[in-house]
Amino acid sequence: MPTLSDVAKEANVSKMTVSRVINHPNQVTPELRKIVLEAMHRLNYHPNSAASALASNRTNVVKFVILEDIDTTEPYYMNLLFGIAQGLQKQQFALQLVRDAADVDKGNCDGYIITGARATDSDWLDKLKKPFVLFGENRYGYDFIDTDNKLGDQLATQYAIDRNYQSIIFMGIDEKEPFEYSREAGYINTLQKYKKIPRIFRVANHSRKAQDFITNNWKKFAPDTCFICASDRIAVGVVRAIQEKGGKIPKDFGVIGFDGVFLDQVSNPKLTTIKQPIFELGQSLATMILQKVAQNGAAQGELLMPPELIKRESTR
Amino acid sequence: MPTLSDVAKEANVSKMTVSRVINHPNQVTPELRKIVLEAMHRLNYHPNSAASALASNRTNVVKFVILEDIDTTEPYYMNLLFGIAQGLQKQQFALQLVRDAADVDKGNCDGYIITGARATDSDWLDKLKKPFVLFGENRYGYDFIDTDNKLGDQLATQYAIDRNYQSIIFMGIDEKEPFEYSREAGYINTLQKYKKIPRIFRVANHSRKAQDFITNNWKKFAPDTCFICASDRIAVGVVRAIQEKGGKIPKDFGVIGFDGVFLDQVSNPKLTTIKQPIFELGQSLATMILQKVAQNGAAQGELLMPPELIKRESTR
DNA sequence: TTGTACGCGTTATCAC
DNA sequence: GTGATAACGCGTACAA
């Protein structure tokens, strides 16, 4: 396998020039750059990431910290992880999984991707010595990437309106988290455009809880109603309750979920849902932390990625 | 962060001795070793994996090659991946995901973990320049790790016998793969111990196919029968067919699945199943390839890990 | 059993 | 804008 020196000889330049072409291309004249690039191509040169890591005092390792108790039967994290892995791979970075906050400091790394951070985590987040980006909205100024939750339920609500459901109800998650507020905001905003009055209920994020809630309050829900749900889990529960009560889906009752990762497809009827671009979120997380590392921890801001409305059988 | 030299000074030895304590501990006297280890501990020394990788001409990267078209909604691979990642992490190795055989040669690595290899893959497997281990039984002498499939269905069949089901039927997967043969062998062996005659049917690995098969052949299955299924998917289909035909589970019909990763828990009734130790399989895969790399590709043989019988509601 | 000297491939510093 | 030189931290001869 050819090295930097080989390329330098081939191109009749110094190693330094080759290195610059790789890391600081604009510090070298276009002509030279071209010559070097051609030499690299001819020799099928690939940088040795270990050597580069050593020389620049990096580890080429990014830690993926999962703070929440995850359900490994949920393919959500799988997709995220695949996206992250693929994103890191482009720059030959290693991935380490950390599932316990206590392990965060064990072993070196160049940066962190953190998911499941809550308000109370800011204590130790502020003490981290390496750059990090969060997966999931936060209101503390930390760099983050998330689905555009507000847009998601704008799409959902708009669709419910377009399908002429007379009453449109939001079934939220009973947690004071930014993503929930954003989803509710998307619902409220859109309803207001049409001068409709929002009706919001909140339950724990379990299908059973949602099902029980709907069943116990069945008389509140007249036919011609669409439920905008903050998760597919809740949507599944709502569907079951409606079926149990003999309601007709999608004719008399519409149900729209959120996530689009698994439950939407196994539900019967298949759920209309807001599908999060999870794999892409993972890729972007990787890209962002790599960039932040390259820029010595410079702030990267926030990135909201647009979800997609998937039309299926739970809406008319 | 302290280096090898720092430890050497602290312990009043040469760098070489410290290096040996790390890589070839038995080449150094116990007393010296102790002194060095204490020095390492005092300084909180951690080896710089980039430097070590560079010096020993390694990359510290292992590629995980997924040859089959995987269903990302199946948590199976998630668990496997988590296990692999954790195993590699112990030695600061990076993980790269490869999902296309064409990408196998792109970029360097020290070794491969390969899943989904078929007989026809041996052409290019033989040409790989770095060591590899397979996930999944094979009969070509390649190193591999898998669940002990035979043992699994020995457990299942034995349990069916213990529960006094009069007739015990095997519902296999219609594929000529080693794992399938092993599971059938476990079933057959155990039946023979009790001088019972095996009855084997095979269908595609889909719940729908299994369901249709049972439905269409319902008259062949008298009450007091237990179905040993080669996968939870098939088991789910069998359960549905029995319910559709009005059979009583588990009183008149028992069903035992295989995998224990997800479907067994969402099925109704919950499935008695043979649970594969998937996370541990992943860890072992990592350990094996790391060892093989360390030993310059020396053969590692095969490792069959014992699955577990999970008793639930689909057997009496 | 232990130590010395050098090289691994790259990047940063400083000259020119 | 480009090149010489010295690190980066560790492992492998080889010598003692």
Side-chain angles (χ1 to χ4, degrees):
Chain A
M1 31 204 153
T3 73
L4 205 81
S5 302
D6 297 330
V7 177
K9 277 180 203 153
E10 175 81 11
N12 278 316
V13 296
S14 76
K15 296 197 301 183
M16 219 28 243
T17 303
V18 180
S19 175
R20 284 203 186 90
V21 168
I22 297 170
N23 301 305
H24 313 282
N26 46 349
Q27 289 181 18
V28 64
T29 56
E31 304 85 52
L32 251 190
R33 204 187 312 163
K34 187 166 173 246
I35 295 177
V36 171
L37 285 173
E38 282 169 0
M40 285 174 33
H41 199 80
R42 233 174 300 141
L43 298 178
N44 190 29
Y45 167 77
H46 290 285
N48 180 319
S49 63
S52 139
L54 174 60
S56 50
N57 191 26
R58 287 186 291 95
T59 61
N60 276 14
V61 169
V62 166
K63 292 191 186 178
F64 179 35
V65 184
I66 302 176
L67 294 175
E68 44 210 337
D69 256 355
I70 72 168
D71 181 355
T72 52
T73 61
E74 277 270 5
Y76 191 94
Y77 284 95
M78 165 98 165
N79 289 306
L80 189 66
L81 192 61
F82 270 52
I84 291 174
Q86 185 164 100
L88 292 179
Q89 180 172 348
K90 288 179 195 154
Q91 307 215 23
Q92 298 269 21
F93 263 65
L95 177 62
Q96 286 196 354
L97 294 179
V98 178
R99 296 181 62 182
D100 185 346
D103 288 346
V104 166
D105 287 326
K106 282 188 191 162
N108 267 316
C109 70
D110 295 333
Y112 304 89
I113 295 171
I114 302 173
T115 182
R118 304 265 168 142
T120 53
D121 289 315
S122 50
D123 300 344
W124 63 268
L125 283 179
D126 291 334
K127 286 180 190 143
L128 281 181
K129 287 178 188 106
K130 302 284 182 177
F132 64 89
V133 300
L134 301 186
F135 174 53
E137 293 187 44
N138 76 87
R139 313 263 156 110
Y140 295 89
Y142 298 129
D143 297 335
F144 74 80
I145 294 181
D146 202 345
T147 298
D148 192 333
N149 290 299
K150 187 173 164 189
L151 171 62
D153 273 339
Q154 280 173 346
L155 293 173
T157 310
Q158 183 65 52
Y159 187 63
I161 289 170
D162 292 345
R163 304 313 295 162
N164 282 313
Y165 285 101
Q166 189 189 323
S167 168
I168 299 176
I169 291 175
F170 190 86
M171 287 295 301
I173 298 173
D174 188 17
E175 285 181 30
K176 298 189 191 308
E177 293 294 330
F179 75 86
E180 171 64 19
Y181 292 140
S182 295
R183 291 179 194 177
E184 292 183 10
Y187 162 75
I188 295 170
N189 284 184
T190 307
L191 275 198
Q192 286 177 338
K193 273 208 291 188
Y194 292 86
K195 312 250 188 278
K196 284 174 171 271
I197 309 295
R199 279 179 73 195
I200 299 184
F201 301 98
R202 298 187 189 89
V203 295
N205 190 19
H206 290 113
S207 58
R208 190 75 227 175
K209 301 284 183 184
Q211 181 176 353
D212 291 346
F213 179 86
I214 299 292
T215 304
N216 297 337
N217 297 276
W218 183 243
K219 56 184 178 299
K220 291 184 186 165
F221 310 118
D224 210 5
T225 289
C226 186
F227 294 90
I228 311 292
C229 305
S231 75
D232 285 340
R233 281 201 193 170
I234 291 180
V236 164
V238 171
V239 163
R240 282 206 214 108
I242 295 171
Q243 289 171 333
E244 180 189 317
K245 288 295 185 181
K248 291 204 175 94
I249 301 173
K251 183 174 167 292
D252 293 334
F253 294 94
V255 181
I256 304 181
F258 204 109
D259 283 345
V261 72
F262 174 65
L263 290 174
D264 55 317
Q265 296 166 57
V266 297
S267 168
N268 185 8
K270 292 199 172 74
L271 291 180
T272 291
T273 193
I274 301 298
K275 184 186 177 71
Q276 296 197 52
I278 303 180
F279 185 83
E280 291 77 10
L281 287 167
Q283 287 182 308
S284 299
L285 282 165
T287 305
M288 183 180 273
I289 190 60
L290 289 180
Q291 194 157 114
K292 190 166 182 176
V293 166
Q295 298 173 0
N296 296 313
Q300 303 292 313
E302 51 194 59
L303 175 61
L304 292 174
M305 302 185 67
E308 186 189 357
L309 171 68
I310 307 286
K311 303 167 185 173
R312 292 223 189 77
E313 306 157 4
S314 65
T315 45
R316 66 194 179 197
Chain B
M1 31 206 151
T3 73
L4 204 76
S5 304
D6 297 329
V7 177
K9 278 178 203 152
E10 175 80 11
N12 278 317
V13 296
S14 77
K15 296 196 303 182
M16 215 30 243
T17 304
V18 181
S19 174
R20 283 204 187 89
V21 169
I22 297 171
N23 300 304
H24 312 283
N26 47 349
Q27 288 184 17
V28 64
T29 56
E31 304 84 53
L32 250 189
R33 203 188 313 162
K34 188 167 173 244
I35 296 177
V36 171
L37 285 173
E38 283 169 1
M40 283 173 36
H41 199 79
R42 232 174 301 142
L43 298 178
N44 189 27
Y45 167 76
H46 289 285
N48 180 319
S49 63
S52 125
L54 174 60
S56 50
N57 190 28
R58 286 187 291 97
T59 61
N60 276 13
V61 168
V62 166
K63 292 191 186 178
F64 179 35
V65 183
I66 303 175
L67 292 174
E68 44 210 339
D69 256 355
I70 73 168
D71 181 354
T72 52
T73 62
E74 277 271 6
Y76 191 93
Y77 284 95
M78 163 98 166
N79 290 305
L80 189 66
L81 193 62
F82 270 51
I84 292 175
Q86 185 163 102
L88 292 179
Q89 181 174 345
K90 288 177 194 156
Q91 306 215 26
Q92 298 270 15
F93 264 66
L95 178 61
Q96 287 196 353
L97 294 178
V98 178
R99 298 181 63 182
D100 184 348
D103 289 345
V104 166
D105 286 327
K106 281 188 192 160
N108 267 317
C109 70
D110 295 334
Y112 304 90
I113 295 171
I114 302 174
T115 180
R118 304 266 168 139
T120 53
D121 290 314
S122 51
D123 300 344
W124 63 267
L125 285 179
D126 291 334
K127 286 182 190 139
L128 282 181
K129 288 177 188 106
K130 302 285 182 177
F132 63 90
V133 300
L134 302 186
F135 174 54
E137 293 186 44
N138 75 86
R139 312 265 155 109
Y140 295 90
Y142 299 129
D143 296 336
F144 74 79
I145 293 181
D146 202 347
T147 298
D148 191 334
N149 290 297
K150 187 172 164 189
L151 171 62
D153 273 340
Q154 280 173 347
L155 293 173
T157 309
Q158 184 64 52
Y159 187 63
I161 289 171
D162 292 346
R163 304 313 295 162
N164 281 313
Y165 285 101
Q166 188 189 326
S167 168
I168 299 176
I169 291 175
F170 190 86
M171 288 294 300
I173 297 173
D174 188 17
E175 285 181 29
K176 297 189 191 309
E177 295 293 330
F179 75 86
E180 170 65 18
Y181 292 139
S182 295
R183 292 179 194 178
E184 292 183 10
Y187 162 77
I188 295 170
N189 282 185
T190 308
L191 276 198
Q192 286 177 338
K193 273 207 292 188
Y194 293 87
K195 312 255 188 272
K196 285 175 171 268
I197 310 297
R199 281 178 72 194
I200 299 184
F201 301 99
R202 298 187 189 89
V203 295
N205 191 20
H206 290 112
S207 59
R208 189 75 227 174
K209 300 285 183 183
Q211 181 175 354
D212 291 347
F213 179 86
I214 299 293
T215 304
N216 296 336
N217 296 276
W218 184 242
K219 57 183 174 301
K220 292 184 186 165
F221 310 118
D224 210 6
T225 290
C226 185
F227 293 91
I228 311 292
C229 305
S231 75
D232 285 340
R233 281 202 193 169
I234 290 179
V236 164
V238 171
V239 163
R240 281 205 214 107
I242 295 172
Q243 288 171 334
E244 179 189 317
K245 287 294 186 179
K248 291 203 176 93
I249 301 173
K251 184 174 167 291
D252 293 334
F253 294 94
V255 181
I256 303 181
F258 204 111
D259 282 345
V261 72
F262 174 66
L263 289 174
D264 56 317
Q265 296 167 56
V266 297
S267 168
N268 185 9
K270 292 199 172 75
L271 291 179
T272 291
T273 192
I274 302 297
K275 184 185 176 72
Q276 297 197 51
I278 303 180
F279 184 83
E280 291 77 9
L281 286 167
Q283 287 182 307
S284 299
L285 282 165
T287 305
M288 183 181 273
I289 189 62
L290 288 180
Q291 193 157 116
K292 191 166 182 177
V293 167
Q295 298 173 0
N296 296 313
Q300 303 292 312
E302 52 194 59
L303 176 61
L304 292 174
M305 301 187 67
E308 187 189 356
L309 171 67
I310 307 286
K311 302 167 185 171
R312 291 224 188 76
E313 307 158 2
S314 64
T315 46
R316 66 191 178 198

